[in-house]
Amino acid sequence: MFRTIAKGCLALGVALVLATSTVWADDFAAPKGEVLLTASGMIGATNKDGTLALDQGQLAALPQTSFTTSTTWTDGTPTFQGVLLKDYIAAIGATGKTITLTALNDYKITMPLAEVGNDAPLLAYLMDGKPMSLRDKGPVWLVYPYDANADYRTEVAYARSIWQLDRIEFGE
């Protein structure tokens, strides 16, 4: 009898995890402001022609993270604020094996979804508390806490630090 109850509890637990992992899927209305980031591909949430377009207010409604770090592209040690990529992935119900990030100028990088860490990278849309202009690498910049860990000061991390990011595609 204990095994039956344990199996039932396990099934209920799995169901709850699956249900709460897509809690955001129906919560994304059409953006009211300028679209900063559009997701496509293997995503669970859409709000515009099979894609998910988010403005700054919608990004701000997701779990927020900030860190201060120097970069090879900025002076001093700015503070970046935004959504950890892992939290963004969870919020939109993204799946697949790869993530392709594309900038406004069509520069793109592809990385394995499995390499998204718990503390980085960050989809930053604020630098020192202000929205980033195109000139300042905005509207969204994928950044790492470079000063916090030597693993983030590698050619791979620098190559993935894509600025003027506006599209993310999740695929196989």
Side-chain angles (χ1 to χ4, degrees):
M1 176 158 185
F2 178 73
R3 276 191 195 159
T4 303
I5 293 171
K7 284 181 184 178
C9 289
L10 178 62
L12 178 62
V14 169
L16 286 172
V17 167
L18 291 174
T20 58
S21 68
T22 58
V23 71
W24 290 97
D26 296 326
D27 290 345
F28 291 105
K32 293 179 181 166
E34 177 186 352
V35 172
L36 298 188
L37 193 58
T38 301
S40 63
M42 300 176 73
I43 57 175
T46 62
N47 64 4
K48 184 179 178 185
D49 301 324
T51 65
L52 180 64
L54 300 179
D55 61 23
Q56 183 171 334
Q58 291 169 304
L59 286 172
L62 297 176
Q64 298 294 291
T65 299
S66 65
F67 53 74
T68 301
T69 189
S70 61
T71 79
T72 60
W73 307 281
T74 57
D75 294 327
T77 53
T79 298
F80 295 95
Q81 179 181 329
V83 181
L84 285 172
L85 186 54
K86 74 164 181 81
D87 292 336
Y88 176 80
I89 290 166
I92 69 170
T95 60
K97 294 182 181 173
T98 63
I99 179 170
T100 300
L101 301 111
T102 306
L104 289 167
N105 67 358
D106 291 328
Y107 172 80
K108 67 175 64 177
I109 60 110
T110 299
M111 63 187 278
L113 197 59
E115 291 184 13
V116 173
N118 287 325
D119 64 343
L122 179 71
L123 295 166
Y125 60 90
L126 297 177
M127 182 168 50
D128 292 331
K130 298 176 188 161
M132 291 181 283
S133 67
L134 290 177
R135 186 176 188 168
D136 292 327
K137 314 261 188 283
V140 178
W141 184 2
L142 189 85
V143 293
Y144 291 82
Y146 308 101
D147 295 341
N149 187 329
D151 291 342
Y152 300 140
R153 294 187 299 274
T154 64
E155 289 303 314
V156 170
Y158 292 143
R160 291 178 178 170
S161 299
I162 184 171
W163 54 77
Q164 297 178 344
L165 175 63
D166 73 332
R167 291 163 280 171
I168 301 178
E169 182 176 0
F170 297 89
E172 281 299 320

